[in-house]
Amino acid sequence: MSERVARRLVIHGRVQGVWFRESMRIEADALGVAGWVRNRPDGTVEAHVEGPADEVERIVRWAHRGPESARVTGVDQTDAPVAGHPRFEKRPTG
């Protein structure tokens, strides 16, 4: 079993109104990644993802593409503390 890690992501581009958050939740559930995703008032999407290092890297790679109708132009990624989230959830805009 690999070490648990966490990343904070800010996804730029046409990422709101394109089913990004729900698609990310489905992808995270499939990978066994916990955390949350929300829209931000500036038009970006922010996410906290945590879990086994391999699966976190997979969801980060997915975030660089997003769902089919999204147009991701960049992803800011920083290490974050593992918070122990039990599942992955969509959160309100914040």
Side-chain angles (χ1 to χ4, degrees), residues 47-90:
H48 172 92
V49 295
E50 62 181 54
D54 292 345
E55 281 69 23
V56 167
E57 290 311 311
R58 285 189 181 116
I59 196 78
V60 169
R61 283 195 304 272
W62 179 91
H64 280 83
R65 323 184 282 283
E68 186 176 324
S69 55
R71 295 296 172 260
V72 176
T73 59
V75 177
D76 300 331
Q77 175 183 329
T78 55
D79 291 339
V82 175
H85 292 284
R87 65 187 182 288
F88 197 86
E89 64 185 18
K90 292 189 306 184

Side-chain angles (χ1 to χ4, degrees), residues 19-25 37-39 45 90-91:
W19 213 53
F20 198 101
R21 292 179 304 148
E22 180 62 13
S23 296
M24 188 174 210
R25 187 195 62 75
V37 62
R38 67 181 176 187
N39 288 336
V45 169
K90 292 189 306 184
R91 290 191 173 174

